[in-house]
């Protein structure tokens, strides 16, 4: 609360925190004497009640962004309202980055397709080999766009729907299914071993868990050179249900580990694209795990291999059916 000379009459503890004030010390001091940013001083001296001012205020860690408004009240008094909009700004930046990333991801395959179509349009070729090659590359690129859209839709469903169902999920069965898919993807280039405890089931959404496991296992194949062994395991570790996928692949340097689950974060863009990656697999895994109170742990050594494991809470273990006597 400011009087007609912009002196502080009163403020709440939030305002003390935002503006680094102490009411006992600063009462009756002019606010623009304490907050000397030119934009703020101009704002305080104007009598325009419609406008708001966004101001960055220092604090330890990241600065705080506040939106400030002045509202006249009482006897020539004004109320200065400051709202913390740091998080809103962060969300807006994330949204903008996301749109930019998607546009970029879609533009590359579209450019290839458009390039071929224009070439064929200008010069309808009677060279069947050239035509076949062009059609093949265009098909590859349209499949890539399709994968991207499928993953984006999966992510959006995970983000918008409420919590996951709690069906009894036979993770051992899923481990064998994703293992079989991995063998097809690997095309005999890797050895794939599966050890899964068939009596350990958990509560969750089967489709979501299948998609998380499948992303981890297909990554193990895609990031492993020919001849590597991939181990898939499911069982209790210190009383917690753990699914784990181990590979002897390219590995990941420590500085990337924290960022791997960000949308479109890739360590090696070339390899990701060559092997049909969308950059969204681990983001999907992270969302699925959040919805199941589970954690993703990653350990990796560049050049030696990685282990991605999903740790479920022991609370999610499905009760065993009573055996008939
Ligand atoms: P992508 O479609 O690019 O594989 P993901 O979200 O599944 O996207 O993974 C993000 C990045 O993490 C990959 O681009 C890759 O650099 C790295 N990565 C994921 N799994 C592995 C693995 N098993 N071995 C090495 N690197 C991996």
């Amino acid at each position: 609360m400011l009087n007609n000379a912009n002196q502080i009459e009163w403020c709440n503890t939030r305002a003390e925190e935002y503006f680094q004030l102490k009411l006992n010390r600063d009462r009756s001091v002019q606010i623009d004497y304490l907050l000397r940013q030119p934009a703020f001083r101009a704002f305080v001296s104007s009598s325009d009640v419609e406008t708001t001012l966004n101001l960055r205020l220092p604090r330890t860690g990241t600065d705080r962004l506040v939106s400030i408004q002045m509202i006249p009240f009482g006897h020539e008094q004004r109320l200065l309202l400051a709202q913390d909009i740091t998080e809103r700004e962060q969300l807006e930046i994330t949204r903008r980055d996301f749109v930019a990333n998607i546009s970029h991801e879609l533009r590359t395959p579209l450019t290839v397709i458009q390039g071929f179509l224009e070439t064929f349009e200008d010069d309808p070729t009677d060279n069947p080999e050239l035509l076949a090659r062009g059609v093949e590359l265009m098909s590859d690129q349209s499949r890539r766009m399709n994968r991207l859209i499928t993953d984006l839709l999966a992510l959006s469903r995970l983000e918008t729907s409420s919590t996951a169902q709690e069906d009894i999920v036979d993770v051992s069965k899923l481990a064998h299914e994703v293992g079989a898919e991995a063998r097809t993807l690997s095309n005999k280039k890797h050895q794939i071993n599966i050890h899964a405890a068939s009596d350990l089931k958990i509560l969750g959404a089967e489709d979501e868990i299948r998609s998380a496991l499948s992303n981890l296992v297909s990554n193990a194949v895609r990031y492993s050179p020919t001849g590597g062994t991939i181990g898939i395991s499911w069982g209790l570790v210190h009383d917690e249900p753990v699914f784990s996928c181990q590979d002897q692949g390219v590995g990941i340097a420590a500085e990337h580990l924290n960022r791997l689950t960000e949308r479109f974060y890739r360590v090696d863009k070339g390899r990701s694209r060559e092997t049909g990656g969308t950059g969204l697999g681990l983001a999907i895994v992270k969302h699925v795990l959040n919805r199941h109170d589970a954690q993703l742990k990653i350990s990796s050594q560049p050049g030696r291999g990685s282990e991605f494991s999903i740790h479920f809470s022991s609370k999610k273990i499905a009760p065993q059916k009573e055996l008939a006597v």
Side-chain angles (χ1 to χ4, degrees), residues 5 22 104 111 131 139 169-170 176 195 208 219 276 285 291 294:
K22 282 262 177 289
H104 176 78
T111 310
L131 198 64
S139 302
V169 182
D170 185 345
H176 283 96
H195 293 282
E208 294 182 20
N219 279 355
V285 172
R291 288 158 60 83

Side-chain angles (χ1 to χ4, degrees), residues 136-161:
E136 190 189 325
L137 286 172
M138 286 193 286
S139 302
D140 278 353
Q141 296 302 328
S142 66
R143 273 195 292 273
R144 179 168 154 198
M145 288 198 284
N146 205 358
R147 273 195 306 273
L148 191 67
I149 287 163
T150 307
D151 278 0
L152 282 170
L153 287 175
L155 254 186
S156 132
R157 262 196 307 275
L158 289 169
E159 280 175 342
T160 49
S161 66

Side-chain angles (χ1 to χ4, degrees), residues 143-195:
R143 273 195 292 273
R144 179 168 154 198
M145 288 198 284
N146 205 358
R147 273 195 306 273
L148 191 67
I149 287 163
T150 307
D151 278 0
L152 282 170
L153 287 175
L155 254 186
S156 132
R157 262 196 307 275
L158 289 169
E159 280 175 342
T160 49
S161 66
S162 50
T163 49
Q165 301 141 247
E166 295 237 310
D167 297 331
I168 296 180
V169 182
D170 185 345
V171 180
S172 158
K173 183 192 79 174
L174 295 183
H176 283 96
E177 285 172 9
V178 300
E181 279 166 30
R183 286 196 179 107
T184 311
L185 183 67
S186 151
N187 201 12
K188 303 208 169 81
K189 293 199 189 89
H190 310 89
Q191 159 94 29
I192 299 173
N193 301 327
I194 307 172
H195 293 282

Side-chain angles (χ1 to χ4, degrees), residues 266-325:
R266 296 167 169 118
V267 179
D268 177 346
K269 285 204 172 71
R271 186 169 186 123
S272 162
R273 295 231 168 87
E274 270 162 39
T275 56
T278 58
L280 295 173
L282 292 180
I284 292 177
V285 172
K286 187 184 91 178
H287 270 86
V288 170
L289 301 199
N290 281 349
R291 288 158 60 83
H292 286 84
D293 292 330
Q295 315 252 328
L296 178 66
K297 298 199 176 155
I298 310 171
S299 61
S300 188
Q301 271 187 300
R304 308 200 64 166
S306 315
E307 177 170 12
F308 285 72
S309 48
I310 301 178
H311 292 241
F312 291 92
S313 148
S314 52
K315 291 190 204 118
K316 294 278 178 190
I317 298 177
Q320 301 254 13
K321 280 210 188 93
E322 297 287 332
L323 288 175
V325 187

